[in-house]
Amino acid sequence: MKLRSVTLNDVRQFTSPVRVAGIGDGVNLLSAPNESGKSTLFDAIHAAFFIPHRSAKIKSLRPDVGGNPEIEVTLEDARGLLTLRKRWGRGPYAEVWRGGQLVAKADEAEAQIAALTQSPADGGPAGLLWVRQGITALDDTDKAAVKTRQDLLTSVTGEIAALTGGKRMDRALARAREELDRLVTLRGAKAGGPLDSAQKTVAALETRVTELTDKATKLRAALGERRAKRRELAELTDPQEVKTRTDRLTQADAAFKAADRHASQLQAAEAALKAADLALQAARREIDNRTRTAQAIETLTAQSSTAQSAAEAADARATEAQTALTKATDAHAAARKALREAEVQMQAALRIEARRAEVARHAQLSETLAQAETLAATLPALREAAATGPDARQLQALEDAAKALAIAEGLAQATAPHLTFTPLPGAPTVSLDGAPLDSTPHAITQAVTLDLPGLGTLSIAPGAGDAPDRLARAQDDLARALAQAGTDAPEAARRAARARGDAAQRLKEVQEALKRLAPEGIDALRGALARLAPQDVPEAPDLTTATDAVERARAAETAAELETARLRPACDTAREAAFGARHEIGALTRRLADARADLAEKPDAETLNQALTQADAQRQTAAQAHQALAAGAPDLTTSRAALSRAQSVVKAADDAINALNTALAGLDATVAHLSGEGVEEDLADATARLNAAQATRDAHEREVAVLRCLISALEAAQSAARDRYFEPVLTELRPMLRLLWPGAELSFDGDSLLPVELLRDGRIESIGTLFWRHARADLAAGPAGLCPAAGAQRSACAGDSGRRAGVHR
Amino acid sequence: MTDGFRFLHSADLHLGRRFGSLPEGVRGRLIEARHQIIARLAQAARDHGARDILLAGDTFDSETPADPTWRQALLAMGADQGLRWWLLPGNHDSLAAEALWDNIARIAPPNVHPLTQAAPVDLAPGVTLLPAPLPRRHAGRDLTDWMPGAATAEGTLRIGLAHGGVQTFSEDASDEGIIPPDRATTAGLAYLALGDWHGQMTVGPRTAYAGTPEFEEFRHAGRGACLAVTAYAGAVPQITRVETGQFDWTEQPLSLVPGQDAAAALSALLPPPGAGRRDHLLRLRAQGRATLAEQQALRDAAEAAAPEFAFFALDTATLDTEIDAADLDALDHGGALRVAAEALAAQARDPARAEDDRRIAAGALNRLYAYLSEGA
């Protein structure tokens, strides 16, 4: 079987398909610069053969940018070409193709691929010896280890591991941790783990033991109580005990019955004595009754006599009272009659008085009518006069006009020229408008003519102005007012106006007088008068006399009435007394009759005395009999109490037996239930299981202690080894690393050596070589016996992404 | 009665015991074996030509056994009406267990006779049984003290039946109620059948403990057995051990010294290989000292042998670890492993440490040895 080609896709730096073909028979040389992918090619071939397609251990082949590595390897064997195809990550598959046909998939394909690596001796077709890069010397003993070391750093790690315990240390630690993890976590027993299970079992069994102990205690208590109650029941139902109780009851019952019988006899004697007492008392009462009856007859007889006398006296008083009353009644009747007669006289006097008043009224009405008619007769003239002459308005208008004329005349007088004539002595008389002119001033308000004897005439005319007009209008107005007033002068008008006012006043007075005299009119007055026809007034006693007579008669009647009223109660009382006395006599008579009849019915005194003597003898006999019985009477109360006690004892015993039987039934049920369950067997079993479980738990806890002790020892030793052996190496190595990568840091992470993903292949190889050589040199110079024995024959070469070593930049 | 009176003497059946301290798998077998012991006793009686089986107490493990326990026991006893079972209340099933004895008296088969009274019982013409039932768990007195005064006809063969210790080996370690070892003599008994001690023991020529017919713990080694007795008036009874137990209980120390082949020492204590191991319960208590390798070998040998037994337990709690250089070299010649091993060894040897801490360190060292040996 020969390799013919390899195709990579998404394998490390080959993110697109790359095919290496043309691999021929014999030795093939693959030569390329560092970082070209030589190692990748070999790793891919290795993965195709040794890493299952579903494995996650393919991360180192995955490109940095991500992807699902795919590898196809073509082989040639005697049967032709064989193609292996695998993909890891998403959509993983494994296929085996032969001659262009798919012959196996998935696990079957993996099985066929695995078979390809087996040697013919093992039944395989070829026998693929996979020698990793860098391995130049292999020995049989380390073959298994060598197979797992894939690179230089693994080799280096192996050396380091030799100092820190190596894989054996890892295995021991892993086993110890694995077993410890199975038992505990940081917080305690691991849930579901053996220790947790043991603890829970112990807890459950402790609970179970507690419960069963309670039940067993309850059962024990029930058994104990049942034993006690059974003993008690046995004692109560013991035949001797029962017989004792029964005998006591029987004796008490007999004693009680005897006492009861005696008590009955005593009671009978008491009754007989009581009866004798009663008979004696009855006999005595009979005698007493007879004596009392006889005495009553005597008493009643005397009372009857007395009552008779009293009745007669009462009758006399009644008769006397009746007589007086009759007289008073008659006097009263006469007084009433006189009163009625006086009242008739008085009524007649009243009627005559009324007729007199009517006559007086007629005369008054006649006078009034005459006055009214007289006044009425003046009315027309008064109305005429009241309507004649200026009325108030006209008079006011006249007065206004007169006033205006006076003002006008005054004004004219004031404004007119005044003529004053002073004659010389002996001068002729001068006349003015024919009248001698004196020496007083004259106002010339209108044209005048002076007659001057001897001289002629002189005419004087007032000058122009409105005074004359005004005076003229005033005069006209006055003239119209006078005309309207029907007069020719203001004074006449004023008189006429006063006459009109006086007539109006008089008219009003007449009318008011008429209204008083005949409010409803004269005709009504005449009608009323007509209805009062004048009659003759007969002679009659006067009203005062009649009234006095009535008063006197009424007083007499009242006095008679009072007298009658005064006498009637006394009369009634007397009559009632008389009646009562008679009634008393009747009652006494009946009682006396009854008493006599009663006495007649009673035995005679001798007979009664004999009966009394006999009853007294019988009573003495009964008393003696009772005394005899009472003297020897047993105490019934005591015997009844004794019987009651005996009955109580029996009843209490019966009740106790019933209660015990009931309680025992319950206890039987409890015991049967609990014992039927096998509580004590369960308890013993649970206790044993608990002990075993506690032992198991203790063993697990001891196991934890042992494992922790071991892990602690291993970790301490491993840590100390690292610190002791590798820190100096790292100290020396760091400066050299920094020559290659300034700032690079080399360190342990405490768990594994220097995990880093930065460097691969040649770089790792270089670092690994450097590291290994320094380590070797350092260790060789270290303490004897602690130098690792492994790796002395190995050299370092090649490399890949060492998981356990690296360089930090 | 020149031929003697034949009967079977057994005791301490402890029916109803559950064996909670043992693994689940073997419990059922042990419980069933206890029940089957009734049939085995019946067969032993028949084989011995005896009609009567005297059970000297503790027939039941508790005073209130579960219904199936006593009901099935009675049914098993009633299976052969040709036999008579005489049941004496012991300390585990004393008369305080009223319910139990009431039930037995009520529904027991005709051939099962509870002995609840300390009164003579005629077993056969001329043969009287003098039982001493326990009224309560701790009797507090010698219950056989009435036997000397028990009146029987002249020439009667008197057989005593009692439960309790003749010395302080009582199961309950009580000093009270010790039965005088010479009770058979003082009471004129042809034989005093005793129960309580689970192992068989002959107290005197006429007095013996039958032991339990089926062991239930490691205190008594071997298989349970009963006694077939032929009692004679005026003569020493003939007592024969009849093995009845199904399971063989063995508890032995396994003493080791460094250099000894621990596996071989273990093997020497084991019963011969074969099917019989299935009915064997074995508890070995390793003691002494052994190296890491020897302890590993011992563990391996025990692990290999254990599945063949009904129960197998190797207790190494008291086995000290001998730490030698070869063992440490076997762990590693150098490096951290060696350092860790030496640290553990130092802790295991350190007298300043508590015993338990030293044993834990030794255990850790043994564990390390085991881990590293796995892949070697």
Side-chain angles (χ1 to χ4, degrees), chain A residues 577-605:
Chain A
F579 180 77
R582 290 296 172 188
H583 181 74
E584 178 69 16
I585 290 170
L588 288 169
T589 303
R590 285 193 299 276
R591 287 171 60 191
L592 185 59
D594 291 343
R596 285 172 177 160
D598 187 25
L599 186 63
E601 288 175 358
K602 290 184 187 300
D604 57 27

Short mmCIF file of all heavy atoms in Angstrom, two decimals, chain A residues 577-605:
data_model
loop_
_atom_site.label_atom_id
_atom_site.label_comp_id
_atom_site.label_asym_id
_atom_site.label_seq_id
_atom_site.Cartn_x
_atom_site.Cartn_y
_atom_site.Cartn_z
N ALA A 577 -132.68 52.16 106.81
CA ALA A 577 -132.43 51.60 108.14
C ALA A 577 -133.57 50.69 108.52
O ALA A 577 -133.37 49.59 109.06
CB ALA A 577 -132.24 52.71 109.14
N ALA A 578 -134.73 51.15 108.21
CA ALA A 578 -135.89 50.33 108.53
C ALA A 578 -135.88 49.04 107.73
O ALA A 578 -136.11 47.95 108.26
CB ALA A 578 -137.17 51.14 108.24
N PHE A 579 -135.50 49.19 106.44
CA PHE A 579 -135.44 47.99 105.59
C PHE A 579 -134.35 47.05 106.09
O PHE A 579 -134.53 45.83 106.17
CB PHE A 579 -135.15 48.42 104.15
CG PHE A 579 -135.07 47.27 103.20
CD1 PHE A 579 -136.22 46.62 102.75
CD2 PHE A 579 -133.82 46.79 102.80
CE1 PHE A 579 -136.12 45.57 101.91
CE2 PHE A 579 -133.73 45.72 101.94
CZ PHE A 579 -134.88 45.10 101.48
N GLY A 580 -133.20 47.63 106.43
CA GLY A 580 -132.07 46.80 106.92
C GLY A 580 -132.45 46.11 108.19
O GLY A 580 -132.12 44.93 108.39
N ALA A 581 -133.12 46.81 109.01
CA ALA A 581 -133.50 46.18 110.27
C ALA A 581 -134.42 45.01 110.00
O ALA A 581 -134.31 43.95 110.61
CB ALA A 581 -134.17 47.22 111.16
N ARG A 582 -135.32 45.22 109.08
CA ARG A 582 -136.21 44.12 108.73
C ARG A 582 -135.44 42.97 108.12
O ARG A 582 -135.70 41.80 108.39
CB ARG A 582 -137.28 44.62 107.73
CG ARG A 582 -138.28 45.57 108.33
CD ARG A 582 -139.09 44.88 109.42
NE ARG A 582 -139.93 45.86 110.13
CZ ARG A 582 -140.62 45.59 111.22
NH1 ARG A 582 -140.51 44.37 111.77
NH2 ARG A 582 -141.39 46.51 111.80
N HIS A 583 -134.52 43.33 107.26
CA HIS A 583 -133.69 42.28 106.61
C HIS A 583 -132.88 41.52 107.66
O HIS A 583 -132.77 40.29 107.62
CB HIS A 583 -132.74 42.91 105.59
CG HIS A 583 -131.89 41.91 104.87
ND1 HIS A 583 -132.40 41.07 103.90
CD2 HIS A 583 -130.59 41.58 105.02
CE1 HIS A 583 -131.44 40.29 103.48
NE2 HIS A 583 -130.31 40.59 104.15
N GLU A 584 -132.34 42.23 108.61
CA GLU A 584 -131.54 41.62 109.66
C GLU A 584 -132.39 40.65 110.45
O GLU A 584 -131.97 39.55 110.80
CB GLU A 584 -130.96 42.72 110.57
CG GLU A 584 -130.16 42.24 111.74
CD GLU A 584 -128.86 41.61 111.31
OE1 GLU A 584 -128.43 41.83 110.14
OE2 GLU A 584 -128.25 40.86 112.11
N ILE A 585 -133.58 41.10 110.67
CA ILE A 585 -134.50 40.23 111.40
C ILE A 585 -134.72 38.96 110.61
O ILE A 585 -134.68 37.84 111.14
CB ILE A 585 -135.83 40.96 111.66
CG1 ILE A 585 -135.60 42.06 112.69
CG2 ILE A 585 -136.90 40.00 112.14
CD1 ILE A 585 -136.79 43.00 112.85
N GLY A 586 -134.84 39.13 109.26
CA GLY A 586 -135.06 37.93 108.41
C GLY A 586 -133.86 37.02 108.47
O GLY A 586 -133.99 35.80 108.59
N ALA A 587 -132.70 37.64 108.35
CA ALA A 587 -131.47 36.84 108.35
C ALA A 587 -131.31 36.10 109.66
O ALA A 587 -131.00 34.89 109.70
CB ALA A 587 -130.26 37.73 108.11
N LEU A 588 -131.54 36.82 110.72
CA LEU A 588 -131.41 36.19 112.02
C LEU A 588 -132.43 35.07 112.18
O LEU A 588 -132.12 34.00 112.72
CB LEU A 588 -131.58 37.23 113.13
CG LEU A 588 -130.41 38.22 113.29
CD1 LEU A 588 -130.79 39.36 114.22
CD2 LEU A 588 -129.20 37.48 113.85
N THR A 589 -133.54 35.31 111.65
CA THR A 589 -134.59 34.30 111.74
C THR A 589 -134.16 33.04 111.00
O THR A 589 -134.30 31.92 111.48
CB THR A 589 -135.88 34.85 111.14
OG1 THR A 589 -136.21 36.04 111.85
CG2 THR A 589 -137.01 33.84 111.30
N ARG A 590 -133.59 33.27 109.76
CA ARG A 590 -133.16 32.10 108.98
C ARG A 590 -132.01 31.39 109.67
O ARG A 590 -131.98 30.17 109.76
CB ARG A 590 -132.73 32.55 107.58
CG ARG A 590 -133.90 32.89 106.70
CD ARG A 590 -133.46 33.03 105.26
NE ARG A 590 -132.48 34.10 105.09
CZ ARG A 590 -132.81 35.39 104.94
NH1 ARG A 590 -134.08 35.78 104.94
NH2 ARG A 590 -131.87 36.29 104.79
N ARG A 591 -131.06 32.16 110.15
CA ARG A 591 -129.92 31.54 110.83
C ARG A 591 -130.37 30.79 112.08
O ARG A 591 -129.90 29.70 112.37
CB ARG A 591 -128.90 32.60 111.22
CG ARG A 591 -128.14 33.15 110.04
CD ARG A 591 -127.30 34.33 110.42
NE ARG A 591 -126.32 34.01 111.44
CZ ARG A 591 -125.59 34.91 112.11
NH1 ARG A 591 -125.80 36.20 111.87
NH2 ARG A 591 -124.73 34.54 113.02
N LEU A 592 -131.29 31.38 112.73
CA LEU A 592 -131.79 30.73 113.92
C LEU A 592 -132.50 29.43 113.55
O LEU A 592 -132.32 28.38 114.20
CB LEU A 592 -132.75 31.68 114.65
CG LEU A 592 -133.29 31.22 115.98
CD1 LEU A 592 -132.12 30.97 116.96
CD2 LEU A 592 -134.22 32.26 116.57
N ALA A 593 -133.20 29.50 112.44
CA ALA A 593 -133.87 28.29 111.97
C ALA A 593 -132.86 27.25 111.59
O ALA A 593 -132.99 26.06 111.91
CB ALA A 593 -134.77 28.64 110.79
N ASP A 594 -131.85 27.72 110.87
CA ASP A 594 -130.80 26.78 110.46
C ASP A 594 -130.12 26.18 111.67
O ASP A 594 -129.86 24.96 111.72
CB ASP A 594 -129.75 27.51 109.60
CG ASP A 594 -130.34 27.90 108.25
OD1 ASP A 594 -131.40 27.36 107.87
OD2 ASP A 594 -129.71 28.76 107.57
N ALA A 595 -129.78 27.01 112.62
CA ALA A 595 -129.08 26.52 113.80
C ALA A 595 -129.94 25.50 114.54
O ALA A 595 -129.47 24.46 115.00
CB ALA A 595 -128.71 27.67 114.70
N ARG A 596 -131.15 25.83 114.60
CA ARG A 596 -132.04 24.89 115.28
C ARG A 596 -132.16 23.59 114.52
O ARG A 596 -132.15 22.50 115.11
CB ARG A 596 -133.42 25.54 115.44
CG ARG A 596 -133.43 26.59 116.56
CD ARG A 596 -134.71 27.36 116.59
NE ARG A 596 -134.72 28.30 117.71
CZ ARG A 596 -135.48 29.36 117.81
NH1 ARG A 596 -136.32 29.67 116.80
NH2 ARG A 596 -135.45 30.15 118.87
N ALA A 597 -132.22 23.75 113.21
CA ALA A 597 -132.29 22.51 112.41
C ALA A 597 -131.00 21.73 112.57
O ALA A 597 -131.01 20.48 112.70
CB ALA A 597 -132.50 22.87 110.95
N ASP A 598 -129.87 22.42 112.54
CA ASP A 598 -128.55 21.78 112.70
C ASP A 598 -128.48 21.07 114.06
O ASP A 598 -128.06 19.92 114.16
CB ASP A 598 -127.45 22.83 112.59
CG ASP A 598 -126.07 22.22 112.58
OD1 ASP A 598 -125.96 21.03 112.19
OD2 ASP A 598 -125.07 22.90 112.93
N LEU A 599 -128.87 21.76 115.03
CA LEU A 599 -128.82 21.19 116.37
C LEU A 599 -129.73 19.97 116.45
O LEU A 599 -129.38 18.97 117.09
CB LEU A 599 -129.24 22.25 117.40
CG LEU A 599 -129.12 21.85 118.86
CD1 LEU A 599 -127.66 21.57 119.22
CD2 LEU A 599 -129.66 22.93 119.77
N ALA A 600 -130.81 20.10 115.75
CA ALA A 600 -131.76 18.97 115.77
C ALA A 600 -131.14 17.75 115.11
O ALA A 600 -131.43 16.61 115.48
CB ALA A 600 -133.05 19.37 115.08
N GLU A 601 -130.28 18.01 114.09
CA GLU A 601 -129.67 16.87 113.38
C GLU A 601 -128.52 16.26 114.16
O GLU A 601 -128.13 15.13 113.89
CB GLU A 601 -129.16 17.35 112.02
CG GLU A 601 -130.28 17.64 111.06
CD GLU A 601 -129.73 18.23 109.76
OE1 GLU A 601 -128.48 18.42 109.67
OE2 GLU A 601 -130.52 18.48 108.84
N LYS A 602 -127.85 16.98 115.00
CA LYS A 602 -126.67 16.47 115.69
C LYS A 602 -127.08 15.48 116.74
O LYS A 602 -128.19 15.57 117.32
CB LYS A 602 -125.91 17.62 116.35
CG LYS A 602 -125.24 18.55 115.39
CD LYS A 602 -124.44 19.58 116.12
CE LYS A 602 -123.89 20.62 115.18
NZ LYS A 602 -123.01 20.06 114.17
N PRO A 603 -126.07 14.48 116.97
CA PRO A 603 -126.37 13.56 118.06
C PRO A 603 -126.48 14.35 119.36
O PRO A 603 -125.92 15.46 119.48
CB PRO A 603 -125.15 12.64 118.10
CG PRO A 603 -124.52 12.79 116.77
CD PRO A 603 -124.80 14.17 116.33
N ASP A 604 -127.07 13.69 120.23
CA ASP A 604 -127.20 14.41 121.50
C ASP A 604 -125.87 14.42 122.23
O ASP A 604 -124.91 13.71 121.86
CB ASP A 604 -128.28 13.79 122.36
CG ASP A 604 -128.04 12.32 122.64
OD1 ASP A 604 -126.83 11.92 122.63
OD2 ASP A 604 -128.99 11.57 122.83
N ALA A 605 -125.75 15.17 123.23
CA ALA A 605 -124.48 15.39 123.94
C ALA A 605 -123.95 14.11 124.54
O ALA A 605 -122.75 13.82 124.53
CB ALA A 605 -124.68 16.45 125.02
#
